[in-house]
Amino acid sequence: MKLTRSVLLGSAAMFAVAGAQAADLPVKAKAIEYVKICSLYGAGFYYIPGTDTCIKLGGYLRASLGLGTNGIYSTPDSGVGAARNRLSNYYTAQSRVDLSVDTRTATEYGVVRTYWEGVNTWTTGGYSGAGTTPINGATSYTTSIASQVSAGSLGVYYAFIQFAGLTIGKAQSQFTAPWANYPANSFDGLPGGGGWEPVTQFTYTADFGQGISASFSAQDQVANYQANIWNVSGATAAGLATGAYGANDFGGTRAPDLVAMLRVDQAWGLFQASAAAHDNHASYYGADETTGHPSDKWGWAGQLALSIKNIPTGAGDTINMSGVYTNGASRYNFQSYMSSAVAMYGGTSAAGTYQSVGLAGLSDSVFVTGAGQQLTTTYGFQGGYTHNWDPHWNSSVYGGLGAVRYNNTAKGYICGAVVASLALSTGLAGCNPDFNYGVVGLVTRWTPVKNLSFTADLAYVMLDQKYASGSTVALPLQASIAKPGTAYELKDQNALTLLLRAQRNW
């Protein structure tokens, strides 16, 4: 018995020692799954661990300073910026950070792509007049973005899915040329083509090979592709003084804008032809639905765009240009970063007037109570040339011109309101709400290292209004811009602005 017990105790001790030694041995670690480079879609993509989806993160940080403007980077052609007095900003500053997320997955039906890009922006505000009497001077602070001053504003630029030729979500309009309203510039307010601002859409693109493609799209018209539908019967002296020729009278959405585009994109450059149809759907003539309403009218726009690459002046030099014609679809020429009601102030030599003012109003259509819509016609051109001095320096010249033309019936409506409400000195004979809006500019960029650039962009803007020479108007008090109620000369106006910008891309 004692022998048996000794054998058992000895065996137990042996196993205990062996177990302790085994516990001290290193345990083989699990294999670490490192992020792998995805070379299928270009540089910067990585596989999401555990999936066959590739992802790329990108973005930029930008600091901008606009001189001679209350916006980044826009023309001081309305509000306090155009008043040219103590309320106008001499400078406006902005800081912005951008983040983009691009994912792609290869499937038996082709690549599934999602793309999202958002920004957080902080922009200097400004001060508008808030006084209520001639001896009660006061101002209120307003920001150029709907945000708290400290927090800035969040924005979503792109958010779309692409699959089997479909693009669904928020993306650049198929009408717009690839450079949008930036043929060679950083200046935002260039007329003469479709704008950059993305729009929600449902698009099918057919790729025919060799750089030839065609797209057909239904896109939301509300956010970026409506100018004004003015009921001129609702015009007031206060509104006319700002360039608004009536009460805006939009109805609810009925139909999206319909867009078709044909593009040839090859080594020599690019050619694009695009067209859009736009439904103008007004609300009621009066305060309730029993007052009636004008019938819908469809407008349209057409654009031709051309890019020429690697021209003989230097490696990488380019020329971009586009021309556009619209009828009842004015935002396809005067894109959404531009003002739709213009009132620019300046000096005067006309006796009996306080200052001069240039008035201009952009609309898709106008009407008066009891009558149908009169569609507004516009046409325009933009272009830019970029020359690369060396790998670190380039310069560009650019320009754009947009023209607005009202038909005789529309002019009769508008001029009746202007003569009656603003006492136009030259009467109906001297009244013409047509106008031209031109921009020319010069920009130079320095890129000392890859993905870091410094920009200086100088732009000169001209408003060519068509009221008869020598015309004067009696404007009411405009406390928000500190303009007194008195006589003003109607006159062409201009503005000079400068953008200074630093940007780091990643």
Side-chain angles (χ1 to χ4, degrees):
M1 185 69 181
K2 290 182 178 179
L3 178 61
T4 302
R5 184 171 61 183
S6 299
V7 171
L8 291 174
L9 289 173
S11 299
M14 180 181 67
F15 282 115
V17 171
Q21 290 174 341
D24 293 336
L25 293 175
V27 178
K28 186 177 181 180
K30 292 183 178 180
I32 298 175
E33 187 173 6
Y34 292 101
V35 175
K36 296 188 297 182
I37 293 174
C38 174
S39 59
L40 297 175
Y41 311 109
F45 282 91
Y46 297 86
Y47 283 102
I48 298 175
T51 75
D52 58 357
T53 296
C54 299
I55 187 170
K56 179 179 181 179
L57 302 180
Y60 62 82
L61 192 147
R62 171 193 293 172
S64 303
L65 181 68
L67 303 179
T69 177
N70 277 58
I72 298 286
Y73 172 42
S74 58
T75 305
D77 59 13
S78 62
V80 293
R84 297 181 179 177
N85 57 21
R86 293 184 65 83
L87 295 178
S88 306
N89 282 358
Y90 279 9
Y91 72 89
T92 300
Q94 182 184 90
S95 296
R96 169 176 292 168
V97 62
D98 174 287
L99 176 65
S100 63
V101 181
D102 189 348
T103 71
R104 307 189 194 190
T105 306
T107 74
E108 60 269 32
Y109 299 102
V111 175
V112 177
R113 183 192 184 196
T114 65
Y115 186 83
W116 178 89
E117 184 176 347
V119 294
N120 193 327
T121 305
W122 183 90
T123 306
T124 301
Y127 290 90
S128 60
T132 56
T133 70
I135 60 172
N136 177 24
T139 60
S140 62
Y141 185 80
T142 57
T143 59
S144 58
I145 50 178
S147 65
Q148 296 180 354
V149 175
S150 60
S153 70
L154 294 174
V156 175
Y157 283 162
Y158 295 92
F160 62 82
I161 299 169
Q162 289 181 320
F163 173 67
L166 297 175
T167 299
I168 305 169
K170 191 177 184 186
Q172 185 171 298
S173 171
Q174 304 302 313
F175 182 91
T176 300
W179 54 87
N181 48 303
Y182 304 101
N185 51 292
S186 301
F187 180 76
D188 287 333
L190 200 66
W196 168 84
E197 187 73 17
V199 60
T200 301
Q201 60 189 269
F202 185 94
T203 298
Y204 176 73
T205 299
D207 188 342
F208 303 111
Q210 297 184 330
I212 303 173
S213 62
S215 296
F216 305 91
S217 180
Q219 67 179 37
D220 178 33
Q221 65 167 235
V222 175
N224 302 317
Y225 287 93
Q226 290 179 331
N228 293 292
I229 296 179
W230 276 323
N231 183 348
V232 184
S233 297
T236 64
L240 292 168
T242 67
Y245 288 138
N248 235 334
D249 203 11
F250 289 109
T253 58
R254 288 298 182 270
D257 284 7
L258 304 177
V259 177
M261 180 270 285
L262 175 66
R263 178 179 293 172
V264 179
D265 189 355
Q266 297 175 341
W268 61 266
L270 175 144
F271 170 79
Q272 177 177 313
S274 47
H278 174 83
D279 180 35
N280 292 289
H281 177 72
S283 184
Y284 298 101
Y285 290 129
D288 66 75
E289 60 190 31
T290 65
T291 58
H293 59 80
S295 300
D296 286 19
K297 269 196 173 182
W298 280 83
W300 64 275
Q303 177 181 257
L304 296 176
L306 178 67
S307 177
I308 304 174
K309 302 175 183 177
N310 297 315
I311 58 179
T313 55
D317 290 6
T318 58
I319 295 175
N320 297 322
M321 65 184 76
S322 63
V324 63
Y325 186 95
T326 76
N327 182 245
S330 300
R331 280 301 188 195
Y332 288 93
N333 181 8
F334 289 80
Q335 40 84 21
S336 61
Y337 284 166
M338 300 184 67
S339 300
S340 62
V342 173
M344 300 175 69
Y345 289 84
T348 183
S349 57
T353 60
Y354 173 68
Q355 288 179 344
S356 65
V357 64
L359 299 177
L362 177 72
S363 67
D364 290 328
S365 73
V366 301
F367 65 91
V368 293
T369 297
Q373 298 186 67
Q374 303 296 316
L375 299 184
T376 305
T377 296
T378 81
Y379 54 88
F381 170 85
Q382 64 175 231
Y385 162 65
T386 299
H387 173 64
N388 295 280
W389 302 102
D390 60 37
H392 301 289
W393 289 90
N394 71 56
S395 297
S396 302
V397 292
Y398 63 88
L401 176 67
V404 173
R405 299 293 183 263
Y406 291 94
N407 65 31
N408 289 334
T409 301
K411 287 179 179 177
Y413 297 159
I414 294 170
C415 289
V418 171
V419 170
S421 299
L422 300 185
L424 180 66
S425 62
T426 52
L428 292 175
C431 178
N432 185 352
D434 295 345
F435 68 92
N436 299 327
Y437 191 103
V439 180
V440 293
L442 173 66
V443 55
T444 293
R445 304 174 187 88
W446 176 44
T447 306
V449 295
K450 185 179 180 180
N451 294 327
L452 175 65
S453 63
F454 298 89
T455 301
D457 190 336
L458 183 69
Y460 179 71
V461 177
M462 300 153 285
L463 172 64
D464 173 23
Q465 53 90 50
K466 299 298 182 181
Y467 290 96
S469 178
S471 296
T472 65
V473 287
L475 301 187
L477 168 67
Q478 299 175 81
S480 63
I481 60 173
K483 291 299 181 184
T486 186
Y488 293 80
E489 178 189 11
L490 288 174
K491 186 179 177 182
D492 297 348
Q493 302 293 333
N494 55 70
L496 186 67
T497 57
L498 175 65
L499 172 71
L500 301 176
R501 172 172 289 169
Q503 181 166 318
R504 169 75 162 98
N505 298 331
W506 61 78

